[in-house]
Amino acid sequence: MKKVFGYPEALTTNQTHYCPGCTHGTIHRMVAESLGELGLRERAVGIAPVGCSVLAYNYFNCDMFEAAHGRAPAVATGAKRCRPDLILFTYQGDGDLASIGAAEILHAANRGEKITVIFVNNAIYGMTGGQMAPTTMPGQVTTTCPFGRNPDHEGYPIRVVELLSTLRTPAYLARVASHTPLHVVEAKKAVREAFRLQAENTCFTMVEILSVCPTNWGLTSAESNEWLEQNMLPYYPLGVFKHPDRSEADSAAEAGVLQGA
Amino acid sequence: MAKVLMKGCEAIGEAAIRAGCRNFFGYPITPQTEVPEYLAKRFPEVDGSYVQAESEVAAINMLYGGAGVGKRVLTTSSSPGISLMAEGVSYIAACHLPIVFVNIVRAGPGLGGILPAQSDYLQATKGHGHGDYKLLVLAPASVQEAVDLIYEAFDLADHYLTPVMVMGDGMIGQMMEPVDLPDMRDLSDLVEKPWAATGACGRGPNIINSLYLKEDMCNANSWKLKEKADEIERKEQRSEAYACPGDVLDVLVVAYGTMARICKTAADEVKKKDKKKVGVFRPISLWPYPYEALAAEAKKAKKILVVEMSTGQMVEDVKLAVLGKKPIEFYGLTGGMVPSPDNVAHKLRSMIK
């Protein structure tokens, strides 16, 4: 009998510490399945961030680093430049990547480092207990914007994929979501595509995955999925913003941004 | 091989290549920019990879990645940049990774100035980044010694699995001297690195990590670092005693790096003209500090003079070696001012009237 579904070899069997309703577990699995399907696990080296996924090295069954806050793209750069035969990925949240690590992600993308970045955006700092992130929505209440994010005071959320799309170098930039089964299927395709491109020696690939934080949003899991749909999707459009097989104009048109903006 | 005339920074880059380093990550800052410039040009000839990082913060984290996959990696910087690297060096030390980095010290604090100084002594020897760890710090006094120490630093880093800093003042980086370059290192006998994150093929995952949420494990790692520091302290103290034979010295000068060379000239001058006995003790390893060797020389001396291009950062280590048994005086200029042999001789004469 043919085996059609199984536990990914690139995941350990350790129980995760993630909260109920969190999508980190689902996203870990997307990464693990992609590494397995593409036969990359034994060449893979992952870089865990600081934030909720700081312990990702306990869950991925491949070689791992734990990086300083925001520095994962620099660590991945060093590893990949020293060992170009390895498959490097970073796994980062919004505070790690878009705030303290803004310089590292921008320049790793612009140098065209041959790495894959998994960027999990849930619009809040989770591990430290629900503070404002660069991607927190206007009006969204957090412990450090207790009256709601005020764009006059804190500015508007950073659209990281759009920002990086202005760079000529990066090969693959996509934004997906993880709040419904259908979105998970699409997200997995994007993650796999990013790793496939890296395995073909294509330069910088990144997938931003919109995610939920029921604990710090103060919502149930179902309410969180609804909140993402209603609040984040209109501001963070999904799509493939850059792909090496397509011209930059086509990619931008598909994503519905950069045109008439 | 015949000697070649090289600028200190360029010689440092070439010495790293000969030690088997093929990966450099760095950021321009005066007065060490000639190292990245040299390697950017030279690396293609030896299949090396030069990356200009976006900052010193990124550069040191690139070293973390490169060391973690088992390669010999180098960065060089100068004082303000070394401060920015403190975060990454702490992680590298905590993870027991071998790197070599160079501080061509310029004047501080703050933006300070671009001229030579020795005002990063306490930063280098007493802590640098956060947490319980020590750096092995080597201080050359000539371009030749910089070459030799860089070449050896890679082996020391691999042996002890620790960051090694080579600390020269701006003079070491900027002056030209004839040097004997070592042969290309035979890379076949480098130590194995079975801990490196090179892909979990035929083994379980290798994890390079400094996070210990259980306090007993964090405690254990700090004591593991302490044990290593103790071993380095026992085995790696280096120093030079210049013109110290005999039983009695009128003054023993303690100085390192470029300042020690200047002090030797001053000591010779005072010996010749004033018929006084002046020796110079030069620490080469700033950490571990050569306390015992200094204590032995200090026994012979009536007085001790510490000379630095700082306001006296090394004085406390000299006090720890001498333990109050001899009077200690200090002479120093900083901010990019380099004491001349005449300055030092004048100070010596004031002590031995």
Side-chain angles (χ1 to χ4, degrees):
Chain A
M1 191 181 284
K2 189 184 168 196
K3 184 176 174 183
V4 294
F5 189 78
Y7 194 83
E9 194 188 357
L11 280 184
T12 67
T13 53
N14 294 333
Q15 189 174 348
T16 73
H17 68 285
Y18 299 120
C19 301
C22 174
T23 46
H24 267 310
T26 309
I27 298 166
H28 282 17
R29 186 169 181 124
M30 293 175 198
V31 172
E33 285 182 354
S34 299
L35 292 174
E37 289 162 11
L38 296 164
L40 302 175
R41 189 194 70 87
E42 294 185 338
R43 285 198 283 147
V45 177
I47 319 288
V50 169
C52 284
S53 45
V54 67
L55 298 172
Y57 55 80
N58 284 332
Y59 310 136
F60 287 114
N61 184 28
C62 62
D63 281 3
M64 293 290 294
F65 282 75
E66 185 359 76
H69 203 14
R71 317 291 177 231
V75 178
T77 296
K80 186 79 178 193
R81 293 282 181 146
C82 285
R83 284 289 304 269
D85 55 317
L86 299 176
I87 297 293
L88 261 295
F89 72 93
T90 72
Y91 188 103
Q92 302 176 259
D94 42 64
D96 190 85
L97 181 142
S99 187
I100 196 167
E104 283 77 10
I105 192 64
L106 178 70
H107 288 277
N110 194 49
R111 284 191 304 267
E113 297 299 338
K114 292 169 180 168
I115 65 173
T116 296
V117 174
I118 306 298
F119 168 38
V120 182
N121 177 5
N122 63 2
I124 202 161
Y125 281 71
M127 190 181 69
T128 44
Q131 293 76 35
M132 186 184 69
T135 55
T136 292
M137 299 305 298
Q140 185 183 343
V141 172
T142 75
T143 60
T144 51
C145 51
F147 310 107
R149 179 177 187 153
N150 176 0
D152 286 343
H153 196 253
E154 287 103 18
Y156 284 91
I158 297 177
R159 294 182 177 116
V160 175
V161 169
E162 285 85 339
L163 190 69
L164 297 185
S165 291
T166 65
L167 304 175
R168 183 162 178 177
T169 322
Y172 180 71
L173 296 170
R175 182 184 289 119
V176 294
S178 59
H179 62 301
T180 72
L182 187 61
H183 283 98
V184 167
V185 170
E186 290 302 312
K188 160 71 190 301
K189 283 183 194 165
V191 170
R192 183 182 156 129
E193 179 65 357
F195 279 109
R196 186 189 71 78
L197 288 166
Q198 186 187 161
E200 288 181 355
N201 216 24
T202 309
C203 80
F204 189 85
T205 54
M206 184 179 105
V207 182
E208 175 177 340
I209 305 175
L210 301 181
S211 174
V212 298
C213 183
T215 299
N216 288 301
W217 288 359
L219 301 173
T220 66
S221 180
E223 287 167 348
S224 295
N225 293 340
E226 189 65 26
W227 194 89
L228 187 157
E229 179 90 25
Q230 288 179 1
N231 294 279
M232 293 178 72
L233 281 193
Y235 190 84
Y236 296 117
L238 307 182
V240 176
F241 288 65
K242 287 194 87 171
H243 192 288
D245 295 344
R246 273 177 276 162
S247 72
E248 287 184 38
D250 289 347
S251 299
E254 182 186 313
V257 294
L258 303 178
Q259 280 197 332
Chain B
M1 196 178 148
K3 286 194 175 191
V4 288
L5 185 67
M6 286 187 93
K7 193 173 194 176
C9 282
E10 296 179 343
I12 284 168
E14 184 61 32
I17 287 174
R18 288 169 189 246
C21 172
R22 294 292 180 275
N23 293 91
F24 177 93
F25 307 91
Y27 189 84
I29 181 172
T30 308
Q32 63 79 49
T33 305
E34 293 87 344
V35 182
E37 285 175 343
Y38 180 82
L39 289 175
K41 198 171 174 182
R42 172 81 166 102
F43 257 157
E45 297 170 7
V46 292
D47 208 17
S49 164
Y50 165 83
V51 176
Q52 183 161 322
E54 59 271 33
S55 67
E56 289 89 348
V57 174
I60 196 68
N61 279 285
M62 291 172 187
L63 261 72
Y64 178 46
V69 298
K71 293 294 184 178
R72 292 193 151 186
V73 288
L74 174 75
T75 191
T76 59
S77 190
S78 182
S79 310
I82 294 291
S83 291
L84 283 175
M85 290 181 180
E87 174 197 67
V89 173
S90 173
Y91 281 70
I92 288 163
C95 292
H96 305 270
L97 295 179
I99 65 154
V100 175
F101 70 126
V102 178
N103 184 1
I104 299 296
V105 182
R106 59 186 256 180
L111 206 44
I114 60 170
L115 295 171
Q118 295 182 316
S119 43
D120 296 351
Y121 178 91
L122 288 171
Q123 182 197 46
T125 59
K126 306 301 176 195
H128 193 215
H130 60 282
D132 271 314
Y133 76 94
K134 288 281 193 178
L135 292 174
L136 210 171
V137 185
L138 303 170
S142 66
V143 175
Q144 181 67 59
E145 195 175 31
V147 165
D148 296 342
L149 290 178
I150 288 282
Y151 194 76
E152 192 185 355
F154 283 96
D155 285 335
L156 289 168
D158 278 354
H159 178 73
Y160 290 107
L161 296 178
T162 190
V164 177
M165 178 194 276
V166 175
M167 190 162 90
D169 52 77
M171 201 77 91
I172 298 294
Q174 291 300 311
M175 70 180 164
M176 291 183 82
E177 287 190 307
V179 285
D180 257 328
L181 291 165
D183 292 335
M184 285 287 185
R185 175 82 160 78
D186 175 6
L187 301 181
S188 64
D189 69 345
L190 293 187
V191 291
E192 296 284 316
K193 296 179 176 176
W195 43 264
T198 53
C201 184
R203 58 161 170 77
N206 281 346
I207 296 170
I208 295 177
N209 174 41
S210 60
L211 175 67
Y212 299 98
L213 291 176
K214 290 184 176 151
E215 60 271 33
D216 59 332
M217 290 176 72
C218 197
N219 176 61
N221 190 48
S222 289
W223 283 104
K224 188 177 165 190
L225 286 163
K226 170 71 169 128
E227 272 175 33
K228 178 156 61 184
D230 287 346
E231 187 188 353
I232 293 171
E233 205 161 10
R234 283 194 305 276
K235 295 181 179 170
E236 302 300 340
Q237 292 182 26
R238 293 144 192 245
S239 61
E240 176 201 11
Y242 175 77
C244 296
D247 299 330
V248 181
L249 288 170
D250 292 299
V251 182
L252 177 68
V253 182
V254 186
Y256 68 94
T258 297
M259 203 59 248
R261 285 174 76 169
I262 293 167
C263 289
K264 285 179 187 176
T265 306
D268 288 346
E269 162 97 5
V270 172
K271 274 189 291 187
K272 195 170 150 197
K273 291 195 178 160
D274 301 66
K275 310 295 178 206
K276 297 289 185 183
K277 289 183 177 172
V278 180
V280 178
F281 181 85
R282 178 170 75 91
I284 298 170
S285 58
L286 300 185
W287 196 88
Y289 197 78
Y291 292 113
E292 290 83 4
L294 174 54
E297 296 305 325
K299 266 187 194 169
K300 305 180 208 166
K302 294 176 189 166
K303 292 179 177 178
I304 312 284
L305 172 65
V306 184
V307 185
E308 293 176 71
M309 288 185 258
S310 80
T311 56
Q313 297 196 11
M314 187 174 63
V315 173
E316 64 183 53
D317 277 327
V318 177
K319 283 181 179 170
L320 281 172
V322 175
L323 293 172
K325 289 171 185 161
K326 299 288 164 76
I328 297 170
E329 294 192 30
F330 174 74
Y331 178 74
L333 293 172
T334 187
M337 297 180 73
V338 181
S340 68
D342 282 350
N343 292 149
V344 179
H346 182 74
K347 173 68 183 174
L348 282 169
R349 287 184 178 117
S350 78
M351 291 172 70
I352 54 181
K353 258 182 228 166

